[in-house]
Amino acid sequence: MRTVRTTLGLAAVLGAALLASACSEDGAGALDPRGEGANGAEGPGGASATDPDAPVDCAATGEQPGPQMLRLLTREEYANTVASLLAIPKPAVDNLPVESKVAGFDNNAQAQAVTSRHIDEYLVTADRLVRQSLQASRATLVPCDGAAPSCAQTVVERIGKKAFRRPLSAEERTRYTALFANTVTGGSFDEGVVLATQAILSSPSFLYRSEVGVAQPDGTFKLTPHEVASALSYTFWGTPPDDRLIAAADAGKLQTEAEITAEADRLFRDEKARPRLASFFNQWLDTYGLLSGNKDQAIYPGFTPEVREAMAREQAAFFQHVLFEGTHTFGELFTADYVMINDTLGRFYGIPGATGQAMSKVPVPADSPRGGLLSLGGVNTAHAHPNESSPIKRGVFVRQRLLCQELAPPPPDIDTTPPGLDPKLTTRERFAKHTASAACSGCHQFIDDVGFGFERFDGIGAYREGENGKPVDASGKIKGLASLADPTTKEFTGPRELGRILAETPAAQACAATQYFRFTRGMKEKGVDACAAQSLAAAFQGDGLDLQKLMVAPLTQKSFLIRRAAVAPAGVKP
C-alpha cells in the first residue's frame, strides 16, 4: 500500500512538472526542463518584442539565431533511449500517444504537447521497463552493493546522467536519492531503484531534449556542449549520446564548427545512421501508411504482406545506397538506372536478377518504367486510394513533398469525394471529368496533369499498360516549377521523365534541403527561421547537391548553435 501511495504522489508531482514544461510557445519555450530560465535568464516572457514569425527579407537580414526549444522525444526515440539506458530489447511503445505530424514529420517541437494521458503512460511504461531491467540485468542499474551507504547516490548519478544527457544538479541528486528512504520503500533497496529510475524516466529532463542554451552578453543563447551532443546523436542515430560524445561534452568541447563537424561526420558514417536517415526519407516522402494502409484485396490480391514489407525495405535500401554507396547526389535520387529489390519484389515488378530476400542492386534499361524515387512501389502505393490509383494524391505529393509548394485547401462547399469506379472509363478519364469545373481548376491545374503521368502505376504500384480495356495515357505536364506563379510548363511521359525534370529544377533541389532542415531542426521554417532554411538550400546547391554534406550541414549552421529567446504566447506567463 505504501508503494501505491508513493507512486500516486509521484504521479501528481511529475504531472505538474510535465504540464508546466509544456506551457510554452506551442509546446516549446525558453524554460529548461528543470523549470528554470536558461542560465538564470527570463523564461518565455524574456523575448524579443518583434514577431519572429513575421515575413522577413532574408537577403537583408541573413541567417539569424534559431529559437530556443524543448523537443519531446518521439515514440521511436523514447524506445531507443530506454533500451539503451536499461539494457533491454527495444520495447513496444504503442500505448504512448501518437505524435502530431507537421509537414509530414513527427518530431516538430511546436506540435508536441504533454497531456494527462502522456503522464499516465510515461509512469506506467517506466515502471514496467525498470522492473524488466532489474530482473534481466540488475547490474545495469545497480553497479554497487545496495547495502553500502553511497550506493543509492551512485545509482541515481549513473542512470540520471545517461537519462538527462548531462550531469545532475545537486538538488536533483538529493531529490532522487530521497526515494530510497526506508519510509518510502519499506526497506527494499530494489524498490528504491524502481521509484528513482521511474521518476527520472518520467522527468521533463528525460522526456525533452533541451535546446535552450546559456545566455550570452549580446542577448542570445549558446547551446551547451551536452545539448549539442544530444542533438547530434538523436539526429543521426535516434539514440542518446554515446560515451565519446558525452566525454567531449564533459570536456567542454562541441562548441566550434570544427568540433561539431568532426563528431557529426563520425556519427553519420556509422552503421547506426542508416536506419535513422532512412526514416527521414520515409517521412520526407510521406509514405508512413505503406505498412499499415488498407488495400482492397478483392481488387489487389497480389498485394501480400510480403510485397508490402519488401516495398518498405526497397525504399530504405534505395536511399541508403544513394547516400552511402552511390554518387550521394540529389540527381541520383530521381535518375537512378537501377532498382534495389529482392526476389519477392522482383517477381512483383517483373524484373529478373534478384535472388533471395536480401535487397540487391539490379540495373534497369533506359526504357524501363522503374528507376528513381518516383517509381518506387512504396511511393505509388502510399499516394493512392485503397481501391485505385490517385492522380490527385500523386500530384499533391510532387507539389508539397518535392517542390515544397503550399496548395490552398478546397472551398468548403466543394465536394472532394473521388469519382466512383466506372468499368467503361480509365482513372484518367474519370478524374479529368471530375475536376474540369471552373471551381476546381484553380488548384487542380497544378495537380492533375502531374498525377496523370503516374497512371501506368496502379493503386499498389504495379505497372500496367491498360485499364478497363483501354490503353493507359501516362503523358503529363507540370507548370509552376519555380513557384505556382511561374507560367513555364514542361511536358513528360511517365515518372522517369518527370524525375529528370525535377533533378534539374532549382526549386526541387532547395526543397530537399528544406525538408531535411525540418527534420533535423524540429520545426517548419517561417519568419526569421526561413532564412536559415534558405541558407542551407543555397549551401546545398553550392556544394554540388552533395547529400552527404547536406546531412551534416544543419548542425553546423550559426542558427543551430546560437539561439534567440522564445516568445511567450498570449496568456502564458513565465
Side-chain angles (χ1 to χ4, degrees):
M1 182 62 69
R2 178 182 291 113
T3 299
V4 171
R5 285 197 299 268
T6 302
T7 301
L8 290 174
L10 182 62
V13 173
L14 291 172
L18 282 166
L19 289 172
S21 69
C23 290
S24 55
E25 185 179 13
D26 297 320
L31 293 181
D32 71 17
R34 287 165 288 184
E36 302 169 346
N39 198 37
E42 287 185 276
S48 168
T50 61
D51 179 4
D53 293 340
V56 298
D57 181 0
C58 293
T61 63
E63 185 178 345
Q64 297 294 305
Q68 292 177 307
M69 60 176 63
L70 301 176
R71 300 180 61 173
L72 190 67
L73 295 179
T74 66
R75 289 176 299 161
E76 178 73 10
E77 291 168 344
Y78 177 93
N80 290 340
T81 302
V82 294
S84 174
L85 295 176
L86 303 177
I88 58 175
K90 184 177 175 180
V93 290
D94 294 338
N95 288 336
L96 294 180
V98 177
E99 299 86 2
S100 298
K101 291 185 175 64
V102 175
F105 296 103
D106 65 5
N107 62 353
N108 185 284
Q110 295 181 338
Q112 313 310 325
V114 175
T115 67
S116 59
R117 185 188 168 195
H118 279 82
I119 298 164
D120 293 341
E121 290 298 338
Y122 285 137
L123 286 166
V124 170
T125 301
D127 180 81
R128 172 174 57 84
L129 297 179
V130 173
R131 293 183 188 278
Q132 177 184 341
S133 177
L134 269 178
Q135 184 176 15
S137 179
R138 187 173 184 274
T140 298
L141 293 176
V142 186
C144 48
D145 181 358
S150 62
C151 189
Q153 182 168 312
T154 298
V155 169
V156 166
E157 289 180 341
R158 188 167 183 267
I159 191 66
K161 182 177 182 179
K162 289 183 177 181
F164 291 177
R165 304 169 287 275
R166 59 166 175 76
L168 272 64
S169 68
E171 188 277 331
E172 287 169 333
R173 285 195 299 271
T174 300
R175 184 199 318 160
Y176 295 120
T177 302
L179 293 174
F180 284 83
N182 288 340
T183 55
V184 176
T185 66
S188 168
F189 184 83
D190 281 5
E191 192 61 30
V193 173
V194 170
L195 290 175
T197 309
Q198 180 194 30
I200 288 170
L201 296 185
S202 304
S203 164
S205 290
F206 169 73
L207 297 172
Y208 284 93
R209 291 201 285 122
S210 171
E211 294 182 5
V212 175
V214 176
Q216 304 297 297
D218 64 357
T220 62
F221 299 81
K222 186 175 185 180
L223 296 190
T224 69
H226 290 95
E227 288 175 322
V228 173
S230 289
L232 289 170
S233 188
Y234 280 100
T235 293
F236 292 111
W237 293 355
T239 65
D242 64 0
D243 290 342
R244 180 167 167 177
L245 271 176
I246 290 295
D250 287 346
K253 297 180 180 179
L254 304 178
Q255 293 289 279
T256 67
E257 181 178 342
E259 291 171 343
I260 294 173
T261 300
E263 281 302 307
D265 189 67
R266 175 180 72 87
L267 299 176
F268 166 73
R269 297 189 184 281
D270 191 281
E271 284 292 316
K272 289 191 285 291
R274 288 176 175 254
R276 178 64 169 178
L277 295 176
S279 176
F280 155 68
F281 192 56
N282 185 19
Q283 295 185 63
W284 172 21
L285 301 186
D286 196 18
T287 53
Y288 256 75
L290 174 60
L291 291 176
S292 59
N294 292 325
K295 291 294 177 180
D296 190 327
Q297 287 298 300
I299 297 176
Y300 300 124
F303 194 61
T304 64
E306 292 76 19
V307 169
R308 189 192 294 261
E309 177 65 27
M311 284 183 177
R313 292 178 58 203
E314 174 197 24
Q315 185 168 295
F318 173 68
F319 185 64
Q320 291 166 352
H321 179 84
V322 172
L323 189 58
F324 293 102
E325 285 83 42
T327 63
H328 49 85
T329 60
F330 173 79
E332 187 178 349
L333 289 175
F334 291 91
T335 63
D337 58 359
Y338 60 87
V339 292
M340 302 293 296
I341 57 175
N342 59 9
D343 177 67
T344 297
L345 206 54
R347 284 185 281 109
F348 183 81
Y349 286 168
I351 298 177
T355 58
Q357 292 307 301
M359 291 290 158
S360 59
K361 179 182 178 182
V362 177
V364 293
D367 61 352
S368 170
R370 302 288 177 181
L373 71 84
L374 294 182
S375 73
L376 291 171
V379 168
N380 286 282
T381 299
H383 299 288
H385 292 299
N387 60 349
E388 63 179 340
S389 63
S390 175
I392 293 177
K393 284 179 176 287
R394 290 168 178 173
V396 170
F397 159 71
V398 171
R399 291 291 177 185
Q400 294 186 339
R401 309 309 301 159
L402 303 182
L403 290 170
C404 293
Q405 294 175 347
E406 297 291 338
L407 298 168
D413 58 341
I414 295 295
D415 182 7
T416 59
T417 304
L421 298 176
D422 188 330
K424 298 179 180 179
L425 300 176
T426 66
T427 301
R428 181 177 188 134
E429 290 171 332
R430 289 187 295 111
F431 275 83
K433 182 178 179 181
H434 181 253
T435 57
S437 70
C440 299
S441 62
C443 284
H444 282 275
Q445 63 176 314
F446 299 107
I447 299 171
D448 296 36
D449 285 332
V450 179
F452 288 147
F454 290 80
E455 269 303 286
R456 283 193 178 148
F457 292 127
D458 67 12
I460 55 171
Y463 181 73
R464 62 183 177 183
E465 292 190 349
E467 182 186 14
N468 291 334
K470 296 183 178 183
V472 169
D473 179 1
S475 63
K477 58 184 178 181
I478 182 167
K479 64 183 294 186
L481 280 167
S483 71
L484 295 179
D486 176 15
T488 305
T489 299
K490 293 191 177 184
E491 297 182 349
F492 64 92
T493 298
R496 292 193 76 178
E497 285 191 15
L498 176 59
R500 286 191 283 272
I501 293 172
L502 294 177
E504 300 297 326
T505 299
Q509 299 162 0
C511 182
T514 297
Q515 299 288 17
Y516 190 59
F517 177 89
R518 294 169 177 173
F519 175 77
T520 56
R521 301 293 292 274
M523 62 180 174
K524 187 175 181 182
E525 72 295 343
K526 55 184 176 180
V528 295
D529 297 316
C531 300
Q534 290 181 24
S535 175
L536 181 67
F540 179 48
Q541 292 169 317
D543 283 334
L545 304 175
D546 188 320
L547 293 168
Q548 290 192 353
K549 292 181 179 179
L550 175 63
M551 296 298 103
V552 173
L555 300 165
T556 61
Q557 289 186 286
K558 176 185 177 182
S559 58
F560 165 71
L561 189 62
I562 305 300
R563 304 301 177 99
R564 66 179 183 272
V567 178
V572 175
K573 298 181 180 180

